[in-house]
Amino acid sequence: MQSVLHLVAGDSKAFCHRTVLPFCTPVRTSLRRAGLPYKPSRTARMVRVDASATSESSGNVSSKELDSRGGAFVQHCDFTLQGSAEGPLAGLTFAIKDLFDVKGFKTGFGNPTWLETHEVADRTAPAVQMLLDAGATAIGKTEMDELAYSLNGENFHYGTPLNPAAPHRVPGGSSSGSASAVAQKLCDFALGSDTGGSVRVPSSYCGLCGIRPTHGRVDDDCGRHLAYSFDTVGWFTRDMELLQKVGTVLLDSNRKEGSIRRWLVATDAFELADKEVGSTIYKALSGEDSSTFEKITDLIGKPVETTVAPEDSTVIGPLTTWWTTFRVLQASEVWATHGEWVTEFKPNFGPGIKDRFEMASKITPEEVKAADATRDAITKHLDELLSDGAVLMVPTTPGPGPIHNMPPKDLDDFRTRALTLTCISGLARLPQVNVPIAMMEDGSPVGLGLIGARGSDEALLELAVEIEKLVPLKPSRK
């Protein structure tokens, strides 16, 4: 245990700028968006409690071993980062997914071998610093799935964070600890990342508000990548107004002007969900006397059913083709980013994670070339579908979170359906918001997904705020 240190965050060299530096994100110059130079705050202070402790756990942690914070926070470091005295987020607290760097501490990335083989971070991620500059105080780092390569939230080494909205179900991943911390009311909001659904899925399972922003609209420097052309920086809250407020801090200026005026319902997406999910969401939108539904139509017009991926399309194919396209491209980028490290250090991955890395190592250039062409066609199709102020409504997930220790075959089927839903926005680099408006008969939450055009994040958040006023979020969390 190191002695307590108080470090003033005033040295401009102490924080990560938009250029990629050691122990920050892998080089992705061709994907980096243009932007203004980052200017660090001179007011935030870091209270350093422990920068050396590491987990020695090598097996799954049972629910009985969860700490007083429900297993949401990592054990290898503990800190408080005091935010600026003034700003739009002053007085609020947040947690940080353990793939973002914080100066003076290691980034564990959900795996003990990664923790052991990487140095202490010498810079703080810009997304974290922007929140501190806006007045929010960080209270620690949260658990996550190994290298972010899972949607489940069950970490073989560190256990499964609590899902307080449905304790018998998993919290979802890979941003499991961040979702758990917000759902337990341990902090006001939390930072996560979303590649294939790692914010949207836990939001749905835990009954939270969450956003996957337009790809590239939030600075992701000094954050570990999984698949760089899909990775985004997202966040969780318990209410839509705060989700929107955090967006005013993190989202860059590349917004799409205009409001949402058209309401599309993706029938093929709802067909992927459990039968009860669609009816439960519809009842929530309708209200007890249909007056809620009428007010929503006043906002965005009457719903128009559409097939987001027409079965007869020879170019883009059905949604099953979209899932295959996503799987190939994500896996190829995962191996390009982490294959060398995996080969050298041979980490002990948990079930599922190990299988995915083995699969990723076998993706061929021919598969990638074909998938790239399909992705381009899908992107063009969705750009046309969502033009002129449209929002596409989908179930965020096929159902509530899987129960703990679900049989592998059932879990794999559920994961495939979940990724088929989440890849819609991921392939086209679009923003998506989860609105937690519904609960199943057993009280487990399910979320409504709102997908907007590229750059329409602000309009999506505004719509979500208005829907929250009309449809009480479930479960009540204020």
Side-chain angles (χ1 to χ4, degrees):
M1 180 79 70
Q2 294 189 4
S3 59
V4 175
L5 299 175
H6 294 269
L7 303 176
V8 178
D11 182 359
S12 62
K13 295 181 180 179
F15 298 99
C16 183
H17 294 257
R18 302 186 73 82
T19 52
V20 182
L21 296 160
F23 310 115
C24 294
T25 54
V27 177
R28 48 182 295 214
T29 305
S30 62
L31 296 172
R32 186 71 59 203
R33 67 182 187 277
L36 297 174
Y38 175 66
K39 297 180 179 180
S41 167
R42 294 183 178 275
T43 57
R45 297 179 65 88
M46 179 167 71
V47 181
R48 180 173 171 182
V49 180
D50 179 16
S52 61
T54 59
S55 172
E56 298 178 354
S57 171
S58 60
N60 193 22
V61 181
S62 72
S63 58
K64 294 181 180 179
E65 296 176 78
L66 292 178
D67 59 23
S68 61
R69 298 189 292 180
F73 289 84
V74 301
Q75 300 298 308
H76 67 80
C77 68
D78 188 14
F79 60 79
T80 296
L81 289 159
Q82 185 67 45
S84 300
E86 298 180 354
L89 303 179
L92 299 178
T93 58
F94 73 103
I96 305 164
K97 184 176 182 177
D98 193 24
L99 58 66
F100 295 101
D101 283 347
V102 173
K103 184 185 177 184
F105 300 93
K106 283 191 174 185
T107 297
F109 208 14
N111 180 272
T113 305
W114 185 280
L115 184 69
E116 293 165 5
T117 58
H118 287 78
E119 301 293 332
V120 170
D122 60 358
R123 297 170 180 86
T124 292
V128 173
Q129 189 60 39
M130 284 188 282
L131 296 171
L132 295 168
D133 291 348
T137 293
I139 63 170
K141 283 192 167 190
T142 54
E143 294 287 7
M144 57 176 287
D145 291 276
E146 294 181 79
L147 276 62
Y149 210 179
S150 174
L151 291 179
N152 221 31
E154 294 177 306
N155 188 301
F156 174 74
H157 306 280
Y158 303 131
T160 305
L162 173 68
N163 178 352
H168 61 299
R169 298 183 183 274
V170 299
S174 63
S175 307
S176 53
S178 289
S180 177
V182 175
Q184 291 183 73
K185 301 184 180 181
L186 301 177
C187 54
D188 296 301
F189 67 96
L191 205 57
S193 68
D194 189 305
T195 302
S198 291
V199 167
R200 291 166 288 165
V201 169
S203 296
S204 181
Y205 293 174
C206 294
L208 297 172
C209 308
I211 181 173
R212 170 209 167 84
T214 297
H215 184 267
R217 284 208 61 191
V218 179
D219 197 328
D220 61 3
D221 279 353
C222 296
R224 303 291 77 72
H225 276 291
L226 177 64
Y228 45 82
S229 75
F230 295 95
D231 294 341
T232 62
V233 178
W235 57 97
F236 302 90
T237 65
R238 292 185 295 275
D239 66 85
M240 283 299 173
E241 287 189 356
L242 181 54
L243 196 76
Q244 182 182 43
K245 184 179 289 187
V246 174
T248 65
V249 173
L250 291 178
L251 292 168
D252 70 8
S253 60
N254 296 320
R255 64 179 293 173
K256 179 181 177 67
E257 298 298 335
S259 60
I260 292 174
R261 302 180 299 276
R262 294 195 297 128
W263 176 3
L264 304 177
V265 179
T267 55
D268 47 346
F270 275 94
E271 288 170 0
L272 283 168
D274 296 341
K275 183 178 180 180
E276 299 81 4
V277 170
S279 59
T280 300
I281 290 176
Y282 177 78
K283 288 178 182 178
L285 289 172
S286 298
E288 294 183 1
D289 56 3
S290 298
S291 61
T292 299
F293 184 82
E294 293 174 1
K295 291 176 182 177
I296 294 176
T297 60
D298 289 341
L299 283 175
I300 52 177
K302 294 182 178 181
V304 176
E305 292 188 348
T306 186
T307 303
V308 68
E311 292 276 354
D312 58 354
S313 172
T314 58
V315 180
I316 61 175
L319 282 176
T320 51
T321 299
W322 294 29
W323 145 240
T324 301
T325 300
F326 170 80
R327 182 186 66 84
V328 169
L329 293 177
Q330 182 198 40
S332 68
E333 293 180 9
V334 167
W335 192 252
T337 302
H338 299 300
E340 183 177 345
W341 177 80
V342 170
T343 301
E344 180 179 356
F345 292 102
K346 298 177 175 55
N348 179 26
F349 287 131
I353 309 293
K354 178 182 179 181
D355 298 334
R356 280 170 219 134
F357 271 100
E358 289 180 355
M359 178 271 295
S361 70
K362 300 174 183 177
I363 298 295
T364 67
E366 292 75 20
E367 289 178 297
V368 173
K369 183 178 180 180
D372 270 331
T374 303
R375 185 183 192 181
D376 289 343
I378 290 171
T379 299
K380 181 179 179 181
H381 169 68
L382 286 175
D383 285 347
E384 293 173 352
L385 185 68
L386 295 173
S387 64
D388 194 26
V391 62
L392 183 67
M393 291 195 178
V394 300
T396 302
T397 56
I403 60 173
H404 290 283
N405 301 313
M406 176 179 281
K409 185 178 182 302
D410 295 338
L411 186 62
D412 187 61
D413 172 71
F414 192 89
R415 171 185 166 81
T416 298
R417 287 191 292 143
L419 283 168
T420 304
L421 289 172
T422 59
C423 77
I424 295 172
S425 56
L427 285 167
R429 303 174 175 88
L430 303 176
Q432 181 174 344
V433 172
N434 178 68
V435 186
I437 62 171
M439 293 172 64
M440 306 298 284
E441 287 188 3
D442 69 350
S444 300
V446 289
L448 171 67
L450 307 179
I451 301 175
R454 192 174 301 102
S456 68
D457 309 63
E458 289 85 353
L460 269 187
L461 289 167
E462 181 61 35
L463 174 61
V465 168
E466 293 302 317
I467 290 177
E468 179 180 23
K469 294 176 183 178
L470 299 173
V471 185
L473 301 188
K474 295 181 175 61
S476 176
R477 295 172 304 282
K478 290 188 179 181

